[in-house]
Amino acid sequence: MTGTDGDDQRSGGGGHTRTDDGEFRRDRNYLTTRITADGRDGYPVEPGRYRLIIARACPWANRAAIVRRLMGLEDVLPMGIAGPVHDERSWSFHLDPDGRDPVLGIERLQEAYFRREPGYPRGITVPAVVDVPTGEVVTNDFARITLDLGSQWSAHQRDGAPDLYPERWRDEIDEVAEEVYRDVNNGVYQCGFAGGQHAYDTAYRRLWERLDRLEERLAGRRYLVGDTITEADVRLFPTLVRFDAVYHGHFKCNRQKLTELPALWAYARDLFQTPGFGDTIDFDQIKAHYYVVHRDINPTGIVPRGPDTGNWLSPHGREALGGRPFGDGTPPGPPPTSERVPSPR
């Protein structure tokens, strides 16, 4: 099967399986080649050599887009953007002139995977980092990509780039991030693609138990770990920002809306209004992907008009909790003109 963010094409990702009782199981077998400062895997960090491919719709790719912005790597790691609608073969560049990525010259991301491994059998996923000279995908290991952008690319980061993975907080960041991945990031998919009532009920319970714990955790602290934005926040935000628009109804995660969870809703707005987060979000592309591509869940392909997204810019009041978003660093500048997204409305 082929697709986009760790499931098959219906859910926007790579391979997956289901247990006998219908539990959704994500295939986490990715291309783990790394781009490092010392080039240990044969791919040294080099400005302009690689192209980060994302899709605005995909939550896993959203992480890479955020960290690239926060690190100020726009000029040294150019970005290609696949469109929100794809078929069973892979993401395509249907938003670009002539339907091709202007640098790689390909219509589908699948072509870059096949150049790496002919007939590549696993998910054609985003984010993916492509070696421009060869046209081959180097890595699609989304969890490692963001950590490496924050560490291996340090010689090319902007002045004032924040430390998203500070040494003294790493154990706690890892623990929180794994809980968030298991119960929230992947949990919404386990709800949406459950193949049986018991599997759905189990995933739904775990999702809401975790969201309740996060609501309690964030009631008295501005960020998930420490007093600055860390990798843990980068990993939670993409799911929260898609929650009311997609997961609440489309994936049947409907105990409450995000807007009905005071701490999480304020926390999500705080991040959305922080440079590097909300300026990576295109709600129209997010909805187009989920509601059009997932025809087994939404057979008509009708994309809902709502919800209103203008409230993402409303005051959140989280400054009263203290904390410094970028620690000793500074906010990133505005995104390049070619990468700007529509304002919420």
Side-chain angles (χ1 to χ4, degrees), residues 51 53 93 101-106 109 112 115 130-133 135-136:
R51 188 160 177 82
I53 304 298
F93 297 98
D101 180 87
V103 173
L104 300 174
I106 58 177
L109 184 56
R115 287 178 184 170
V130 178
D131 180 41
V132 175
E136 298 178 1

Side-chain angles (χ1 to χ4, degrees), residues 48-62:
R49 174 174 172 176
Y50 306 99
R51 188 160 177 82
L52 172 65
I53 304 298
I54 70 157
R56 294 290 187 197
C58 174
W60 317 97
N62 197 173

Side-chain angles (χ1 to χ4, degrees), residues 92-320:
S92 66
F93 297 98
H94 60 87
L95 299 181
D96 286 308
D98 302 321
R100 293 179 179 273
D101 180 87
V103 173
L104 300 174
I106 58 177
E107 294 181 351
R108 299 177 183 278
L109 184 56
Q110 182 186 62
E111 297 174 53
Y113 277 82
F114 285 179
R115 287 178 184 170
R116 167 70 182 261
E117 182 179 336
Y120 182 79
R122 299 188 295 278
I124 309 298
T125 65
V126 289
V129 183
V130 178
D131 180 41
V132 175
T134 63
E136 298 178 1
V137 170
V138 177
T139 180
N140 64 340
D141 187 353
F142 63 87
R144 188 74 248 174
I145 287 172
T146 54
L147 293 174
D148 282 349
L149 291 179
S151 58
Q152 301 300 316
W153 291 74
S154 60
H156 305 287
Q157 292 168 2
R158 65 181 179 87
D159 292 338
D163 183 359
L164 300 177
Y165 198 49
E167 183 73 37
R168 67 187 181 118
W169 295 113
R170 286 185 183 178
D171 288 346
E172 188 174 353
I173 291 170
D174 290 345
E175 179 182 0
V176 171
E178 180 56 32
E179 292 170 347
V180 165
Y181 170 82
R182 183 187 64 234
D183 299 332
V184 182
N185 300 149
N186 196 46
V188 294
Y189 282 89
Q190 289 184 311
C191 290
F193 289 94
Q197 189 68 48
H198 175 73
Y200 166 76
D201 289 345
T202 300
Y204 181 93
R205 174 180 54 79
R206 288 176 178 167
L207 168 68
W208 284 103
E209 285 177 352
R210 182 61 57 194
L211 288 175
D212 285 342
R213 291 189 189 122
L214 291 169
E215 174 75 9
E216 182 178 357
R217 182 184 186 95
L218 289 165
R221 57 194 306 167
R222 190 169 180 185
Y223 303 111
L224 283 172
V225 180
D227 63 354
T228 65
I229 292 167
T230 67
E231 181 80 17
D233 302 296
V234 170
R235 297 188 180 197
L236 178 57
F237 173 78
T239 299
L240 295 184
V241 80
R242 288 161 175 77
F243 200 88
D244 287 3
V246 176
Y247 302 139
H248 176 270
H250 187 59
F251 276 0
K252 307 179 184 70
C253 303
N254 60 353
R255 193 193 78 181
Q256 290 168 280
K257 296 177 181 177
L258 178 66
T259 55
E260 296 167 348
L261 301 168
L264 277 166
W265 172 225
Y267 163 81
R269 296 201 318 280
D270 187 4
L271 289 178
F272 188 92
Q273 294 170 35
T274 299
F277 284 83
D279 54 32
T280 68
I281 300 301
D282 187 319
F283 285 107
D284 288 340
Q285 290 197 35
I286 289 168
K287 291 194 299 182
H289 171 69
Y290 284 90
Y291 287 103
V292 173
V293 172
H294 302 170
R295 289 303 178 103
D296 52 344
I297 296 178
N298 186 41
T300 64
I302 294 172
V303 180
R305 304 296 295 181
D308 174 22
T309 57
N311 54 2
W312 280 94
L313 301 178
S314 63
H316 52 75
R318 298 282 291 179
E319 302 93 342

